[in-house]
Every structure is written in structure tokens, then in C-alpha cells.
Amino acid sequence: MTSTETFETIRLTADVVLIADNHVLLIERGWDPFEGMWALPGGHVDPGEEVQTAAARELAEETGITVPMESLREVGTFTAPGRDPRGRYVTVAYTATLPERVEPTAGDDATRAVWWPLSWLPELAFDHAAIIRAAVETAA
């Protein structure tokens, strides 16, 4: 009997659902995949980096907003094959709530950072609509 092993490269990312005044902070992506679409702040976890640290770092890099690490609460891990067209990506999503909206400053691979009302969101990249829904349900 012959056995065949299949190996798949899996990349780890972190995303942040930052909420204030019934709004969520989104970035406009500056490059593919989904260039020009709205998404949650987030990105790759660097070698040797904790996932929660990566979430806080990516939020700061892409929006200019920093939050204390202890305020980031895990929403869940999103693993569906095909959630990213570049290959197999697993993301750990976090959420935090601010008492009021803070003016963001887009940076890194974000061309804009904007607070969107939770009741009226644009079409989102990846599976970020599902991540936002999960974060809102977790907070309720």
C-alpha cells in the first residue's frame, strides 16, 4: 500500500475589530489582493511574534491608533480554506472598544482608514464581514 502526503503552507495573520460609538474602523487596502477594498486592520504575524502583539502592531501601523494589549479580546480563529486568494491563511481576530472615535491616520499598506457605522458597512475583503459579525455577537 502506498501513502501520499500532501503539504500545505499555512500563514498566520491577526486582525482587529476596533469599535467606538457603533462604528468599526476599516482600512482601504493599498495593494492586492483586494486593492481598493475595505478591510479590517491586520496582517502577518512576524517570526517569533505573539499573535496578540501582531494585532496591536498592525492596528498601529495601518491606522495610527494604539490600544493597550490587555484591551484586545480574542474573537476567534478563522480557518476556512479559500478565505484568502493567496493561499491558506489562518487569522486570529481580536476586538477592542474605545469610549469614542479617535481620528485615524492611514499608514503601511492602508491608503485610508475610516470609521464606518456598523449598520451600514461597505463590501469587505476576505471574510471580514463574518469576523465583524462574530465580534459584535461576542460583545453582546
Side-chain angles (χ1 to χ4, degrees):
M1 186 151 128
T2 308
S3 124
T4 304
E5 291 186 47
T6 303
F7 294 95
E8 179 179 31
T9 300
I10 300 173
R11 293 168 183 87
L12 182 60
T13 59
D15 292 308
V16 178
V17 181
L18 188 61
I19 296 172
D21 299 325
N22 290 315
H23 287 69
V24 64
L25 186 61
L26 300 176
I27 62 153
E28 184 178 47
R29 290 184 55 81
W31 57 60
D32 282 329
F34 303 112
E35 180 178 359
M37 287 189 70
W38 293 97
L40 292 168
H44 292 94
V45 177
D46 291 339
E49 184 177 37
E50 292 285 337
V51 180
Q52 189 175 21
T53 303
R57 174 182 54 77
E58 287 287 344
L59 176 65
E61 287 175 359
E62 294 182 346
T63 71
I65 296 175
T66 58
V67 296
M69 291 284 289
E70 59 274 6
S71 71
L72 289 173
R73 298 176 316 279
E74 189 172 326
V75 172
T77 303
F78 296 79
T79 64
R83 62 177 299 278
D84 190 310
R86 296 171 290 187
R88 186 66 181 263
Y89 278 76
V90 171
T91 197
V92 180
Y94 294 88
T95 188
T97 304
L98 298 178
E100 59 186 24
R101 286 179 273 163
V102 176
E103 188 64 34
T105 304
D108 195 25
D109 60 343
T111 57
R112 291 193 293 167
V114 175
W115 290 99
W116 283 81
L118 283 167
S119 60
W120 185 71
L121 295 175
E123 182 180 352
L124 298 174
F126 308 104
D127 57 353
H128 290 183
I131 294 173
I132 292 170
R133 279 192 302 275
V136 170
E137 289 171 7
T138 300

